[in-house]
Amino acid sequence: MTQGFDTTAIHAGTAPDPATGARQVPIYQTTSYVFRDTDHAARLFGLQEVGYIYSRLTNPTVGALQNRVAALEGGAGAVCCSSGHAAQIMALFPLMAPGRNIVASTRLYGGTVTQFSHTIRRFGWSAKFVDFDDLDALAAAIDGDTRAVFCESISNPGGYVTDIPAVAGITDAAGIPLIVDNTLATPYLCKPLGMGATLVVHSLTKYMTGNGTVTGGAVVDSGAFDWSASGKFPSLSDPEPAYHGLKFHETFGPAAFTFHSIAIGLRDLGMTMNPQGAHYTLMGIETLGLRMARHVENAQTVADWLENDPRVTAVTYAGLASSPWNATAQRLYPKGAGALFTFSVKGGYDAAVKLVGALKLFSHVANLGDARSLVIHSASTTHRQLTEAQQRAAGAAPDLLRLSIGIEDPADLIADLDQALAAAVA
Ligand SMILES: Cc1ncc(COP(=O)(O)O)c(C=O)c1O
């Protein structure tokens, strides 16, 4: 029987602790695990048996979280990482090689634009940025060296939504995996794997944990991509010298990407999530459905109020009828368009800066997806390293403020915005 979202969020990946019966997932705060004997140790190291060796690779608390995130996204497997940014590198690592490129959306978190524009070049990888609403431009940008296409389901900071099935149609035709960053939507609002994506990446730092306590990430694999068909993904299809010629895809089938990410990715890159963080995230996910429903309801209420205020000049929330993304949001994100968006005020940049200073309930921080409502000026912070053209393409123009709407009483959020607007806008 298929379980509902909230049941999966509470139960998937966990059972009472076999040693003690503990009902909540224990924090296995250990680096290593005693082998039964030398043969057991050798079999674990040779990937002939699955088990625990060393917590850089596997840990039972992190494993429980991996199973839960995979179940919520409808994936074959997941690997958790030390941050969302680590997850992005871990997702690309098995696919890429020097000289290969990715095609990425222009509408991304600024840190991701920077990671893809500059840092990945040091590995000999590169990125081409395209407006993903222009499907012809997307198809044209994919070339013989492209190994992945990357977008956010709901994008930071504008809250714009991506037509994932349309993008997946292009990547399917090209035989290239589609990676979707599902951080802002979470599997409660959107399940990209069910819409044709190959991999999902998460910053667990945001809504999945939900209270601003943990830095973490995850990569979820659909298990459906044929890594051997084209010869373009030798790390997964060809003999792996570090495991005596083992072929990951042939040996592990739908679990190939996840096994590779643990056995090679975590082993050699070491971007491991810690068990304490995994425990907090597991607890956060238990209330994901309840929180996301409230986040979305509050975001819609606040966006509606802002749009009707004469001191406000624009609101980008895709849940508003005025948004060019509203039809796509209603079709593909029926439970809501997330809880992050930008707005601008009369008086432009100067008034926006005053407004941030006048807010009392909203915290001025570089985070999103917290139970608390948050505000930031993206162009001078999260999207600061971008050129002004990149900022505008990403939806982070200099006069915009980004709001991450929390789960407080909406009347209090509106009252705070009202008094701050009064202080900032003449
Ligand atoms: C959409 C999105 N993806 C990825 C990241 C990076 O996640 P982390 O900060 O956990 O590395 C962020 C961070 O803000 C984000 O907003």
Side-chain angles (χ1 to χ4, degrees):
M1 197 184 79
T2 318
Q3 287 183 334
F5 185 88
D6 291 327
T7 309
T8 306
I10 292 167
H11 289 278
T14 61
D17 180 49
T20 62
R23 190 63 192 84
Q24 190 47 281
V25 183
I27 304 173
Y28 284 91
Q29 197 69 41
T30 183
T31 52
S32 50
Y33 308 84
V34 178
F35 305 120
R36 289 195 299 271
D37 50 40
T38 47
D39 183 49
H40 177 221
R43 291 180 61 75
L44 290 174
F45 273 85
L47 297 186
Q48 286 129 336
E49 188 175 328
V50 177
Y52 299 104
I53 300 176
Y54 187 61
S55 284
R56 177 163 19 92
L57 291 92
T58 46
N59 171 280
T61 315
V62 179
L65 176 60
Q66 289 171 167
N67 292 339
R68 189 170 294 177
V69 174
L72 286 170
E73 288 287 4
V79 58
C80 286
C81 314
S82 49
S83 70
H85 256 19
Q88 291 168 196
I89 296 298
M90 286 281 291
L92 293 176
F93 180 64
L95 316 179
M96 300 292 279
R100 308 303 185 209
N101 68 66
I102 60 170
V103 176
S105 169
T106 45
R107 287 185 284 274
L108 295 178
Y109 162 54
T112 303
V113 176
T114 306
Q115 187 185 55
F116 290 173
S117 307
H118 303 289
T119 304
I120 65 169
R121 287 188 173 275
R122 297 176 185 223
F123 308 143
W125 313 344
S126 61
K128 303 185 215 180
F129 292 93
V130 180
D131 179 346
F132 274 35
D133 283 342
D134 185 345
L135 295 174
D136 292 337
L138 168 58
I142 297 172
D143 64 29
D145 284 322
T146 303
R147 292 293 178 271
V149 165
F150 188 100
C151 63
E152 293 175 5
S153 45
I154 300 180
S155 70
N156 176 1
Y160 307 128
V161 296
T162 303
D163 187 340
I164 297 171
V167 171
I170 308 271
T171 54
D172 267 0
I176 297 296
L178 170 61
I179 307 175
V180 176
D181 181 338
N182 203 29
T183 300
L184 266 55
T186 81
Y188 179 77
L189 298 178
C190 171
K191 294 198 183 196
L193 301 181
M195 297 182 186
T198 312
L199 300 168
V200 161
V201 291
H202 271 286
S203 168
L204 300 174
T205 316
K206 318 296 181 190
Y207 297 99
M208 295 288 263
T209 304
N211 47 35
T213 51
V214 170
T215 304
V219 186
V220 190
D221 175 31
S222 70
F225 194 87
D226 185 347
W227 302 111
S228 306
S230 65
K232 288 183 171 177
F233 304 100
S235 297
L236 294 160
S237 62
D238 289 5
E240 168 57 49
Y243 281 106
H244 306 292
L246 176 137
K247 295 180 183 173
F248 275 88
H249 191 210
E250 188 182 280
T251 309
F252 299 113
F257 190 94
T258 303
F259 265 86
H260 188 280
S261 294
I262 294 169
I264 310 264
L266 289 183
R267 186 196 63 183
D268 295 346
L269 302 178
M271 299 169 168
T272 309
M273 188 173 199
N274 68 77
Q276 183 128 11
H279 178 77
Y280 291 145
T281 303
L282 278 164
M283 288 201 289
I285 288 176
E286 290 183 357
T287 58
L288 182 64
L290 296 174
R291 287 186 289 106
M292 289 311 291
R294 179 63 177 254
H295 274 295
V296 165
E297 194 185 321
N298 280 3
Q300 187 74 48
T301 304
V302 172
D304 281 340
W305 181 83
L306 283 171
E307 190 175 46
N308 287 309
D309 191 288
R311 296 163 294 188
V312 172
T313 47
V315 185
T316 62
Y317 190 51
L320 294 172
S322 57
S323 164
W325 284 272
N326 186 248
T328 309
Q330 288 194 23
R331 183 166 51 89
L332 297 175
Y333 304 77
K335 285 180 172 171
L340 191 94
F341 58 86
T342 60
F343 74 110
S344 54
V345 292
K346 280 187 183 152
Y349 177 80
D350 292 341
V353 169
K354 265 195 215 155
L355 198 147
V356 172
L359 283 165
K360 296 190 170 88
L361 202 53
F362 281 76
S363 304
H364 181 197
V365 301
N367 193 23
L368 61 93
D370 195 316
R372 276 150 284 272
S373 290
L374 313 172
V375 63
I376 200 161
H377 178 244
S378 300
S380 63
T381 56
T382 57
H383 290 66
R384 185 183 181 86
Q385 269 73 31
L386 279 58
T387 62
E388 193 176 324
Q390 282 178 315
Q391 286 173 348
R392 288 186 186 281
D399 61 334
L400 293 177
L401 291 179
R402 183 186 80 181
L403 295 182
S404 172
I405 301 297
I407 56 176
E408 302 98 331
D409 294 290
D412 294 328
L413 300 178
I414 288 173
D416 193 31
L417 285 163
D418 193 26
Q419 66 79 21
L421 279 164
V425 181

